[in-house]
Amino acid sequence: MERALHTELWTSFASQIRSYGAAHGLNSQHQAVVEVGSDVILLRVGTRWLRFTPSEMTEDNNRSHPFHLNEDGTVTVGDVTEDMDFTAERLTRELMQ
């Protein structure tokens, strides 16, 4: 994947994680904190967290899963591929429960 496209997809995914973190925080006692860098996105909620790199998603229990942003706007985590916004919403919701 060309670098400019990857950067755009990475930025979009981080933005969706932020948006869903804020939305789910409206009905929760917890607030999501999202830290974004050029090669890492960290989503923290209390003591729980998810860390994304261009090739891996790691959970707070140190379980890792393959992670990939696809050119068509989908995301693959482990064996599951779905639209980027569905992935961002699902992962954020699960972490905030």
Side-chain angles (χ1 to χ4, degrees):
M1 176 182 328
E2 75 177 66
R3 186 72 185 149
L5 177 57
H6 173 76
T7 299
E8 184 62 34
L9 291 170
W10 185 257
T11 302
S12 295
F13 185 68
S15 177
Q16 289 180 347
I17 291 285
R18 274 192 183 114
S19 294
Y20 286 117
H24 286 295
L26 293 173
N27 296 318
S28 174
Q29 296 177 359
H30 306 286
Q31 296 298 311
V33 175
V34 181
E35 299 174 22
V36 180
S38 61
D39 61 352
V40 67
I41 299 169
L42 180 62
L43 170 62
R44 291 186 292 121
V45 179
T47 61
R48 300 183 67 204
W49 54 267
L50 292 175
R51 182 179 184 267
F52 302 90
T53 68
S55 62
E56 186 174 66
M57 181 189 84
T58 306
E59 300 177 63
D60 53 34
N61 58 12
N62 290 321
R63 283 191 299 180
S64 295
H65 309 277
F67 175 84
H68 191 266
L69 297 171
N70 304 306
E71 290 184 15
D72 63 357
T74 60
V75 176
T76 303
V77 178
D79 296 331
V80 177
T81 300
E82 58 190 353
D83 288 341
M84 184 183 294
D85 58 330
F86 293 157
T87 301
E89 192 280 330
R90 178 177 56 79
L91 293 173
T92 304
R93 176 177 28 87
E94 290 172 358
L95 189 67
M96 294 187 77
Q97 289 181 343

